[in-house]
Amino acid sequence: MPASYAYLGPEGTFTEVALRTLPEAATRELIPYVSVQSALDAVRAGEAEAAFVPIENSVEGGITTTLDELVAGAPLMIYREVLLSITFALLVRPGTKLSDIKTVSAHPAAQPQVRNWLKKHLPDAHWESAASNADAARLVQEGQYDAAFAGEFAAARYGLEALETGIHDAENAQTRFVLVGRPARPAAPTGADKTSIVLWQRDDHPGGLRDLLGEFATRGINLMLLQSRPTGAGIGNYCFCIDAEGHISDRRVADALMGLKRICLQVRYLGSYPRAEVRPGDVQPPRLGTSDDEFMAAADWVARCQDGRF
């Protein structure tokens, strides 16, 4: 397998900045790709060891392009996550004034994060989406658009100026990125992990979603992401992308996954990996009756009952 990581490019994206915070990135060739799909496909094709892509932001929730690729494409697995605080700069060609700007560009996920600023300062500017924020900066450099919302760090890379900085509609906005590779044995639990899965219901019926969520609730498992995505099989047909607290080696998590496997049409396991925002000592202990020791004690009791040793 090549010692390289694919990432959403071109150079100068927030994705690249987040990727470089991983220690192992210093020992890999980092290769930019034009889209999330092409970066993930590079892993599927064996052209890259892993891909690093955005999956969620704190303003709009899950990034649908990435979720849909993980849902529908050949199976991949998440191994790491990184959180990055996001603020934008308005990048322009040297000499451009605010009054000169008629067109602006950025990745679609950026628009909800700068919408109010844009309405206040550039109400008549026409928005055009780009494959990434850095790609928008490149298009400004080439003269296709007047301005781009991107990281201030991208200005020098594309010969642009930051006309405005610190742009954000929501304070403390963050984007979550994930390192995705081919399926393999998950890393050992750290005590501060999350498990990602996708669920498909067998049929649409009253209380169907409650049944799925009940598998987590009865075992005291907290959910950190729940997002529905259309399956493409017609209106009203959805699957559910879920991030749950814990590791697949935790008895309560494994038990919940077994319960879901029994009642769902399909369950896709996307990995168990360390949480970026907490340390092991900060995680609340399992709810009463859901610790590994309590699961093991209960299983031992059932075994003794079966043997007539109760």
Side-chain angles (χ1 to χ4, degrees), residues 219-231:
R219 295 168 178 86
I221 300 172
N222 187 43
L223 299 187
M224 291 168 282
L225 174 72
L226 171 61
Q227 182 155 342
S228 61
R229 296 299 305 148
T231 64

Side-chain angles (χ1 to χ4, degrees), residues 201-212 263:
Q201 293 178 282
R202 290 188 184 276
D203 56 64
D204 186 20
H205 62 273
L209 180 57
R210 182 201 59 191
D211 295 341
L212 303 183
I263 65 174

